[in-house]
Short mmCIF file of all heavy atoms in Angstrom, two decimals:
data_model
loop_
_atom_site.label_atom_id
_atom_site.label_comp_id
_atom_site.label_asym_id
_atom_site.label_seq_id
_atom_site.Cartn_x
_atom_site.Cartn_y
_atom_site.Cartn_z
N ALA A 14 -32.22 10.74 37.33
CA ALA A 14 -31.74 12.07 37.89
C ALA A 14 -31.07 11.91 39.13
O ALA A 14 -29.96 12.58 39.33
CB ALA A 14 -32.97 12.98 38.03
N GLU A 40 -3.13 26.59 61.03
CA GLU A 40 -3.72 25.78 61.97
C GLU A 40 -3.41 24.32 61.96
O GLU A 40 -3.03 23.61 62.91
CB GLU A 40 -5.17 26.03 62.06
CG GLU A 40 -5.72 27.33 62.54
CD GLU A 40 -5.60 28.32 61.42
OE1 GLU A 40 -5.42 27.95 60.23
OE2 GLU A 40 -5.51 29.54 61.81
N LYS A 41 -3.39 23.76 60.69
CA LYS A 41 -3.12 22.31 60.52
C LYS A 41 -1.63 22.11 60.85
O LYS A 41 -1.29 21.09 61.38
CB LYS A 41 -3.36 21.98 59.08
CG LYS A 41 -4.87 21.84 58.79
CD LYS A 41 -5.02 21.40 57.31
CE LYS A 41 -6.56 21.25 56.99
NZ LYS A 41 -6.73 20.81 55.55
N ASN A 76 5.55 23.01 53.80
CA ASN A 76 5.90 23.38 52.45
C ASN A 76 4.72 23.68 51.56
O ASN A 76 4.82 24.14 50.46
CB ASN A 76 6.66 22.16 51.84
CG ASN A 76 8.13 22.17 52.35
OD1 ASN A 76 8.69 23.17 52.87
ND2 ASN A 76 8.73 21.02 52.34
N ASP A 105 19.62 17.71 67.11
CA ASP A 105 20.28 18.52 66.25
C ASP A 105 20.18 18.09 64.70
O ASP A 105 20.04 18.76 63.80
CB ASP A 105 21.79 18.62 66.59
CG ASP A 105 21.97 19.45 67.79
OD1 ASP A 105 21.08 20.19 68.24
OD2 ASP A 105 23.12 19.25 68.52
N MET A 197 13.07 39.22 52.41
CA MET A 197 14.05 39.52 51.40
C MET A 197 13.61 39.10 50.08
O MET A 197 13.73 39.61 49.03
CB MET A 197 15.42 38.98 51.77
CG MET A 197 16.01 39.78 52.96
SD MET A 197 17.58 39.00 53.61
CE MET A 197 18.60 38.88 52.17
#
Side-chain angles (χ1 to χ4, degrees):
E40 291 75 21
K41 287 182 180 179
N76 285 337
D105 288 343
M197 289 167 60

